[in-house]
Amino acid sequence: MRISDRLKKLKPSATLAVNAKAQELKAQGREVVSLAVGEPDFPTPGHVCEAAQKAIDDGFTRYTPVPGIPDLRAAMAGYYGQFYGVCAKAENTIASNGGKQALYNLLMALINPGDEVLIPAPYWVSYPPMVELADGVAVIVPTTPESGFLVNVRDLEAVCTPRTSVLILNSPSNPTGGHYAQEALDEIARWAKARGIFIISDEVYDRLVYEPAKPSTLSHFWQKHPENVAVVGALSKSFCMTGWRVGWTLAHADLVKACAKIQGQSTSNINSVAQKAAVAALTGPWTLVDEMKTAFVRRRDMALEVIRSWPGVTCPKPDGAFYLFPVVDTYYTPEMPDSAALCTRLLEEAGVALVPGSAFGDDRCVRFSYAVADEVLMSALSKVGKVLLGK
Ligand code: PLP
């Protein structure tokens, strides 16, 4: 089969590979619990589904403007006013098919061939392949569990070159749950501006930040310096709307136009019905988020206690998202030398699916998602513990 050279270089998604293996075992009749999921286990709120139903009943099923219907663009801009006191206009927003397409559009719009893009590791799986698809060079910036897997200006300065053009920041982080305090984000943003480096701030988990930590954002910085930052948001995680595919970009109007140009030549507008649902989500009550946060904090703390009780395992306490990313390399052996081998063994022997840290650029770790019911989580952890501790 004829496949382009560009595609041959591209790695398949490791998270999807784990799910495929888990499905295979299930098909063989094995009981498999997945802690590999990247989506909340709560249903999309009723009022959002009703708005979608109404859109269908009203025949709102045609093409719309590429960046989104005016109501949605106003609602996305309003989000930054409501939560962060930032004054944005509809023209500063574009709705895309999830945060994923928003990020892809931005990288295609910002990167010239050979431009270097700084990506702190552990990173969300799709950043390096997206940079490569845009003909850029992904420069991975390692972090440590001691720092909560967060970068600082010194780490970034050490890898910066005259070709560095973009920095991707993700807070709260997938896979670590690590969250930057506002001052830390601002310090990095000031450094990047002085260096002429554009920041893409992936804030798709920004509503899932746990007390005493407070949500942080680069939208304030964007308001002051719109040519230096773009912010990516989404309803996927905070509104349990992963399948609806609603994400967005907050950016300078010229960059929004550039993203719309790319999107207009690839997918055009996002689904018209999902746009109406998104307006309802963004302008309606946010009580679901508080409910989810209560459950996530409880699960994080329960899971952390078990994971930290395993000898030799360290795991920073994350302030956001719904993942734990413990360092488990003391359990590696010559026969099971890395995170992928450990995950395969845990899947086969414990019937628990996790994602190997290598997928996120840190082979010392594995990723646990706690976006599952309490009892499922605790039973899965107990099975993992038995295999690890050889009980
Ligand atoms: N950014 C991060 C850090 C993510 O974890 C994800 C999804 O897992 C995305 C972006 C993409 O989100 P969406 O489902 O809205 O495309």
Side-chain angles (χ1 to χ4, degrees):
M1 183 60 215
R2 185 184 166 90
I3 305 283
S4 72
D5 294 344
R6 180 192 300 113
L7 213 72
K8 282 181 201 144
K9 281 191 298 185
L10 204 67
K11 284 198 206 115
S13 161
T15 33
L16 297 184
V18 173
N19 283 324
K21 174 88 184 153
Q23 293 305 332
E24 196 186 304
L25 288 178
K26 271 189 190 163
Q28 293 165 10
R30 291 275 311 276
E31 197 189 316
V32 175
V33 180
S34 180
L35 299 187
V37 285
E39 57 187 348
D41 55 317
F42 292 78
T44 302
H47 70 283
V48 176
C49 299
E50 280 156 25
Q53 192 60 57
K54 182 168 183 323
I56 295 174
D57 293 344
D58 292 349
F60 192 73
T61 54
R62 308 273 170 187
Y63 291 133
T64 76
V66 170
I69 53 175
D71 280 7
L72 176 56
R73 296 184 80 188
M76 294 182 303
Y79 175 88
Y80 292 94
Q82 178 178 354
F83 288 108
Y84 298 119
V86 165
C87 182
K89 294 194 183 124
E91 65 176 24
N92 299 120
T93 65
I94 167 173
S96 298
N97 287 286
K100 196 171 229 176
Q101 190 183 24
L103 289 159
Y104 186 73
N105 286 342
L106 280 169
L107 289 165
M108 292 298 278
L110 290 165
I111 296 178
N112 284 316
D115 279 358
E116 292 175 5
V117 177
L118 303 184
I119 304 178
Y123 46 73
W124 180 50
V125 285
S126 293
Y127 299 145
M130 281 186 185
V131 168
E132 282 163 30
L133 281 173
D135 288 333
V137 178
V139 176
I140 307 302
V141 191
T143 63
T144 61
E146 293 73 37
S147 70
F149 295 114
L150 303 178
V151 274
N152 58 36
V153 165
R154 268 190 323 282
D155 304 325
L156 295 166
E157 186 66 45
V159 289
C160 187
T161 76
R163 292 300 319 245
T164 308
S165 58
V166 173
L167 161 66
I168 304 180
L169 283 180
N170 173 214
S171 177
S173 151
N174 176 3
T176 69
H179 164 72
Y180 290 84
Q182 189 63 53
E183 310 78 66
L185 271 188
D186 289 340
E187 192 189 348
I188 294 175
R190 283 192 298 273
W191 168 83
K193 182 175 180 304
R195 285 296 216 147
I197 295 170
F198 190 95
I199 298 185
I200 297 176
S201 185
D202 179 346
E203 302 180 6
V204 302
Y205 294 90
D206 71 335
R207 299 266 58 81
L208 299 177
V209 173
Y210 311 124
E211 298 278 341
K214 301 223 170 349
S216 58
T217 177
L218 279 184
S219 58
H220 307 123
F221 200 87
W222 167 81
Q223 193 177 6
K224 279 198 217 124
H225 308 287
E227 299 198 355
N228 295 91
V229 175
V231 177
V232 170
L235 289 173
S236 307
K237 316 289 179 174
S238 54
F239 243 89
C240 307
M241 289 179 68
T242 45
W244 299 76
R245 310 311 297 133
V246 185
W248 63 81
T249 299
L250 171 75
H252 190 288
D254 290 347
L255 183 53
V256 166
K257 281 191 193 132
C259 292
K261 200 166 161 185
I262 295 159
Q263 195 167 301
Q265 297 294 16
S266 50
T267 60
S268 297
N269 60 274
I270 70 166
N271 178 303
S272 59
V273 172
Q275 292 191 51
K276 288 285 189 183
V279 173
L282 286 164
T283 56
W286 285 82
T287 39
L288 167 79
V289 182
D290 295 328
E291 248 176 72
M292 274 202 300
K293 279 168 64 174
T294 307
F296 285 154
V297 167
R298 184 179 64 243
R299 294 175 190 167
R300 176 198 62 183
D301 293 346
M302 289 186 325
L304 203 55
E305 198 181 326
V306 176
I307 290 173
R308 283 180 168 171
S309 74
W310 298 332
V313 172
T314 48
C315 186
K317 182 175 180 176
D319 287 327
F322 38 73
Y323 308 106
L324 292 167
F325 201 60
V327 181
V328 291
D329 59 354
T330 45
Y331 289 92
Y332 297 172
T333 60
E335 297 74 43
M336 192 181 66
D338 53 27
S339 59
L342 179 65
C343 286
T344 303
R345 177 157 173 228
L346 291 173
L347 188 53
E348 283 168 355
E349 289 183 27
V352 177
L354 303 173
V355 188
S358 53
F360 308 99
D362 196 330
D363 199 27
R364 295 168 297 175
C365 305
V366 291
R367 189 192 77 175
F368 291 76
S369 163
Y370 51 87
V372 292
D374 296 20
E375 52 294 353
V376 175
L377 178 64
M378 296 318 278
S379 136
L381 286 171
S382 139
K383 288 178 186 165
V384 169
K386 279 189 186 134
V387 172
L388 283 184
L389 309 185
K391 283 188 185 159

